[in-house]
Amino acid sequence: MATELISETKARSTLLVTLRDKLRLKSAWEKLTWTWRPETKREAGDAIVRNFVLHWFPAKVSLESLSWGYSFWLGTISAVLFLILTITGGVLMFLYVPSVERAYLSVKDLEFSTSYGWFLRGLHRIGAHLMVAVVFLHMVRVFLTGAFKNGRKAVGQNRPLNWIIGVALLLITLLLSFTGYLLPWDQLAYWAITVGTNIASSAPVFGEPTRFILLGGTTIEQATLIRFYVLHCFILPLATLWLVSYHMWRVRKDGGLACVEKRYEEAKKEERPAIASKTYSLLGITGGTAVDVRNVMVDDEKDKVPSSPYLTVRLAVVTLATLVASIVLTLIVKAPLEEAANPAVTPNPAKAPWYFLWLQELVTITTFTIGGFTINGALIGGIILPGVLVLAAVLWPYFDKSPVSSIGRWFPKERKWQNRIFLLIIVAILILTFIGTFMRGPFWEIYMPWQEWEQTPRKF
Amino acid sequence: MLSKDAIKLYVLGLSLLGLTAWVFFRENRMDWTDYQAEFKEFVTEKFGAERAAQVPTGIQQIWVKDLDRVDRCITCHQAVEWKGLETAPEPYRTHPKEILEKHPLTAYGCTSCHGGQGFSTILPDAHGNVEHWEEPVLGAEVSEAYLIKNSKALMEMNCNSCHRYDRETKGMDYINTAKKLVEEKNCRACHTINGRGGIIGPDLTFEGEKPTEQFDYGRLTGRHSVFAWQVAHFQNPKMVSPDSVMPNFGFSSQDAQALALLVMSWRKEPIPANYISGVQLRDVPTQEEIEKEKRMLEGEGAFFVQNKCFICHSVTSLGVDSAAKIGPDLSDAVTDVQSRFGRTLDDFLMEPTGTMSVVLATQIPLTVEQRQQAIALLKVAYQRKLEQQIKNASPSPMPTGK
């Protein structure tokens, strides 16, 4: 199939070349736009390896890895979102003032008077929300396809480690979003961080000190704002950049996406048994056969296409699609900016950022009253349960004993029960998030979507 | 596969181009661009193209650093300080002149009196009747909602931020009525206001700071707002809070509205002292100092007090006492000048040298007649000094004792 595809490219390019030659546009246009194009497969490979940006891709890539339906390109989308966030964030840093006196006003200025300020802020905000969602979905995909498992015994393969880095990246993504949440310094920001950090403080022994260090005191004030700002703009993006690079490098070290493993499985089946032969080595004295070479050879020509242009074009499609989707959402969804932060007025209801609302729901559910005693759910729901989930996620690859044949496929029979349990947890998190986001009204009461909330009081 | 991807790439590329155009269009076609264009046309019609060319374009703002306000209202309300558009339709009308003379735009901005969201350049947000903005423009729209006859009355709440300590302020009829009612009904019998009053009711000094969420709107029909609550409470306290012991004063609805505006104006806003009406920003001399100066003005040395010589010099023999005593006592100026400068007093005062030349040239410009008067008085002072010395030198009674 790959050979057909290559000849397709050749045919296309030949047609174009003839057309250009006939129109005598070739030399001028090409000199302006396309200084060099690979003529052979070797040159196509070189195009990838020689390029600074593209060199972390292999020169050749398997067709399965490129398919839309296997990975949904969620990791790439996350990386593109991170790029969008870095660029918009970089510009926003010139416009935002991280002080309690000016922060809110500088965001108001962005909304109303800075050129394209509303767009920058909107795109940064939507990008951040999307990144949380897409990184989460990426994790779900990797779990469901068992892509954290090692397949053939290749040198240096360590997919479980890359999975753990992925879990760390998810946590950092959440932290990035959480620290950014405070920066507008409005009521939404202030109280979301209050709820979030209060949940964190219920951890035994470390809870209070952690909150104190994070806030730079006991209340959310200037010290908190500057800490969150530095974490948000410097430390966490740097950590993300570093870990993403390692994550990507590991994908190469692990032999590409997990979906390629089945090729080796198939090749193994075709493998002929080693020929028993005479040996003249010392080992031969003990009897037996020759040294058994069981190296699996996969026919590269058959399975792979050059990364340029197959991968690069698809990468451009994904990048553009992510950018277009983010911009469309930015234009549709209005970025909220509430009243300036006011520690004296608690909004009713006070909610954590949406991706922590399942935790806030868990805290509510695990808070109950027996007789005169009230058990506070912050410890169970806010610390222990999510802690157990993260720990389980980290350790899972080491307890997953399903066969190698289940790797890199959607819903393999061999991993039926694992996937069911995992999906149950995911669905539970999604339901709790939905309840917390759309159904919790004043005094944390349940409101059906068609029920109206109490009138919000106004000054006039 | 490649050609399919290429089609996707083209479609997405075109979408991105379209979106970029849309974002560009949206950025450059805000509410205010339309208003500015319309104003230009309006001015062209009325005053000709030359005046219209002077109309500024782009976002306009007044930054009042002292009040920490940025008001972009003049982006659309461009005629605020123009002459001759007094009857034009809004937003192109001239602001009433008299009030601006005392409250210049550069020192007060717009929102400190009118309310509204000064940052905003979008109409509904700027007028502030939107979610998450508590200070709407206090004009016709809100007045109509509360059936207030005078559409400017609500604004008095904001005026009273600075005029809080006035007994009466010109043009603030509602607040003036309310302030009178506070005295007549003696609200201080139960409530503390500005540090004075009883403790039966809550302290009302910062009643206007109480957040909207802290009122119980359970028994309120209609709009849930602080203003509605306050009006209803003044008209019948027990209706909105049954446990209240506040008597029903039978206020008319207009009086209740006035009182509501007054209590809501009692906020804790950071206003620089020089904005607050009636606040004196001077070192006030003590009663003792005032009396001393008065005494000195009545004595023989009054000239030296009137002409501020006493700021540096005492003239002890004439009862003039300088607080600073920077210069020498002038009681013996007749001899002292001679010994210091080698010139007679008359000569020196007519053409002084050193410090005195600077002082008399700048701060105390005495006429020739005044200088002669000073010389004559200083001679009297010397005479008095000598007399006092003789008097003091007369023998005192012998001390008694062991």
Side-chain angles (χ1 to χ4, degrees), chain A residues 5 8-9 12 63 66 68 101-102 104-105 108-109 111-119 305 309-310 313-314 316-318 320-321 323-325 327-328 330-332 334 336-339 342 344-348 455-460, chain B residues 1-3 5-6 8-9 12-13 15-16 19 22-24 26-28 30 59 68 72 117 119-122 125 128-136 138 142 146 154 157 208 211-214 217 222-227 261 264 267:
Chain A
L5 284 166
E8 184 198 339
T9 339
R12 266 165 39 87
L63 281 166
L66 291 179
W68 298 115
E101 289 88 11
R102 307 249 25 116
Y104 180 69
L105 304 184
K108 280 274 181 197
D109 277 355
E111 278 296 302
F112 293 121
S113 75
T114 311
S115 299
Y116 300 98
W118 58 273
F119 179 69
V305 288
Y310 289 87
V313 168
R314 215 149 246 209
V317 169
V318 171
L320 271 180
L323 189 58
V324 165
I327 294 176
V328 167
T330 305
L331 293 173
I332 294 171
K334 197 178 183 310
L337 185 63
E338 299 195 350
E339 294 93 334
N342 184 352
V345 180
T346 317
N348 187 9
Q455 200 182 333
T456 329
R458 300 180 53 84
K459 204 162 172 180
F460 280 97
Chain B
M1 174 177 160
L2 262 185
S3 48
D5 279 2
K8 285 185 192 120
L9 204 59
L12 285 166
S15 327
L16 187 63
L19 284 169
W22 174 243
V23 170
F24 180 79
R26 195 165 137 181
E27 170 70 24
N28 291 292
M30 299 281 191
I59 293 177
D68 198 18
R72 305 193 171 119
Q117 186 171 186
F119 312 104
S120 179
T121 48
I122 298 166
D125 294 77
N129 281 310
V130 288
E131 231 189 331
H132 308 309
W133 191 258
E134 291 277 293
E135 313 285 341
L138 297 176
V142 184
Y146 289 105
L154 286 170
M157 179 189 86
T212 46
E213 286 82 354
Q214 284 180 19
Y217 303 94
R223 205 193 271 222
H224 286 188
S225 75
V226 177
F227 183 69
L261 287 177
M264 284 173 76
R267 284 174 295 196

Side-chain angles (χ1 to χ4, degrees), chain A residues 115-169:
Chain A
S115 299
Y116 300 98
W118 58 273
F119 179 69
L120 269 176
R121 175 171 176 253
L123 187 57
H124 193 77
R125 176 179 167 277
I126 285 290
H129 287 325
L130 283 179
M131 188 167 156
V132 170
V134 173
V135 171
F136 177 76
L137 289 175
H138 180 46
M139 186 197 75
V140 172
R141 191 284 289 173
V142 170
F143 190 97
L144 292 178
T145 54
F148 50 57
K149 287 163 67 69
N150 283 334
R152 74 206 135 103
K153 302 280 177 285
V155 178
Q157 194 176 53
N158 193 353
R159 288 220 175 90
L161 175 61
N162 215 13
W163 162 263
I164 292 169
I165 293 162
V167 172
L169 276 168

Side-chain angles (χ1 to χ4, degrees), chain A residues 168-199:
Chain A
L169 276 168
L170 173 66
L171 295 178
I172 291 182
T173 306
L174 292 177
L175 268 179
L176 263 170
S177 182
F178 186 66
T179 47
Y181 220 87
L182 181 68
L183 304 185
W185 204 251
D186 63 344
Q187 281 287 75
L188 186 71
Y190 186 91
W191 289 96
I193 303 307
T194 305
V195 174
T197 51
N198 278 349
I199 291 177

Side-chain angles (χ1 to χ4, degrees), chain A residues 109 112-115, chain B residues 27 30 32-33 36 56-61 70-76 78 118-121:
Chain A
D109 277 355
F112 293 121
S113 75
T114 311
S115 299
Chain B
E27 170 70 24
M30 299 281 191
W32 58 267
T33 50
Q36 288 191 348
T57 47
I59 293 177
Q60 307 292 312
Q61 67 176 27
V70 175
D71 287 343
R72 305 193 171 119
C73 316
I74 54 164
T75 303
C76 297
Q78 286 191 293
F119 312 104
S120 179
T121 48

Side-chain angles (χ1 to χ4, degrees), chain B residues 226-243:
Chain B
V226 177
F227 183 69
W229 189 95
Q230 292 284 11
V231 172
H233 185 262
F234 276 117
Q235 286 188 305
N236 188 353
K238 281 202 170 55
M239 190 192 84
V240 282
S241 43
D243 300 333

Side-chain angles (χ1 to χ4, degrees), chain A residues 85-99 102-103 105-107 109-110 113-117 120-121 124 183 229 232-233:
Chain A
L85 287 165
T86 309
I87 294 168
T88 50
V91 183
L92 286 172
M93 278 178 80
F94 286 109
L95 302 163
Y96 171 80
V97 187
S99 88
R102 307 249 25 116
L105 304 184
S106 61
V107 179
D109 277 355
L110 273 175
S113 75
T114 311
S115 299
Y116 300 98
L120 269 176
R121 175 171 176 253
H124 193 77
L183 304 185
Y229 179 73
H232 185 77
C233 303

